[in-house]
Amino acid sequence: MLNPTVLELGQKRSTIRELFAFGQQRAAIVGADNIFDFSIGNPNVPAPDAVKQAILEILNTESPALTHGYTSAQGADFARTAIANDLNARFGTSYGAHNLYLTVGAAAALSICFKTLTTSPQDEFIVLAPYFPEYLVFIEQGAGARAVVIPAQTTDFQIDFETLTQRINPNTRAIVVNSPNNPSGAVYTPETIQLLTDLLRAKSAEIGHPIFLISDEPYRELVYDADTVVPFLPSHYENTLVCYSYSKSLSLAGERIGYVLIPDSVTDFEQTYAAICGAGRVLGYVNAPSLFQRVAAQCSGLTADLSIYRKNRDLLYDALNAYGYSCTKPKGAFYMFPQVPDLDDAAFCERAKQLDLLVVPGRDFGAAGHIRISYCVQTETIERALPLFEQLAR
Ligand code: PLP
């Protein structure tokens, strides 16, 4: 006998993973150069040189027992202190090691937060479409709570406050925000954040318990225009838990390193921090990878070279508009989310697949009629794929 839920999840991989696997199979037949894989968000820009230097220095100077051994469950004290210092320098805060819990990437950070805040199967987490599809798995199967989806506001991918206001109720435990956003590339404006935090404060008072803001921030540093500001949410809302990851900023997606930031301002801070530790324990994470805790301590705040993503965004955006796709210009992350001409995203992706062009249907992100194009690829791959996008638009 097997757990049917996890069996089904294991048998039915996500569309993104399916497409990625299909691309690898096709590459073996037709050659990697002839596959235009825009399916997965695997950074193609190398990690900054500082990461390599840090790894070499750590391996050459520290004892293997320290470098590769267990750390405390919440992460080595010096690593948490270094990350807190970096945040303080950038955001004018005064965090210490006690505000951080290091994790196996943002996925683990999110799972830990959902588990921490779930008190009964009736508890609800609000997710704003378009969303990272794994949220639903982490909330429903991981934490045993309910995911409540607010439909996308596709004009500018900000928030549909009318629907959001209606859907908040006494079962609401938290709202998940992801800005810069996967898959739309949108960044919430300061006005959106003001409206959101005002609403959450008012609703928390009305229902008599805090509604948390879970800020999923793997793309925090990936913004492309000087006038794009990514508000630092703990400075705007006291009950914010930040789920951060170095997967994208440092191009370390496979190394699995990130954190939960638990500011002192959260309600019942000490208990909340303890519950985060308890959730990590229940989920069996033990501790975040030891070597990469040390790398994060040295490299937090640095980024890979983001100029290629910006170049890719501009190239793809201008071309798709010229071909007649309707597209909101992404402000950050490395995804574009245009509408397909006949609004049948699944059929479009199937037709694209016949041409070895791999893009993901928007319905997987809760916004049918769109496709997600992950442009963290070589610029040349985009240049060579443009005629296919043009052909498909016709
Ligand atoms: N959240 C979002 C919005 C993502 O796009 C991703 C990965 O693509 C994750 C979380 C998970 O990131 P990590 O690799 O740090 O687990």
Side-chain angles (χ1 to χ4, degrees), residues 121-139:
Q122 274 72 47
D123 284 351
E124 296 180 355
F125 291 89
I126 292 181
V127 170
L128 306 165
Y131 51 76
F132 177 57
E134 294 301 283
Y135 291 157
L136 306 190
V137 178
F138 301 157
I139 293 169

Side-chain angles (χ1 to χ4, degrees), residues 47 50 62 68 70 75 131 157 180 198-199 261 277 285 323 336 368:
E62 288 201 28
H68 302 301
Y70 292 121
Y131 51 76
F157 294 106
D198 286 351
L199 176 67
L261 169 70
C277 296
Y285 290 124
Y323 304 153
M336 209 165 289

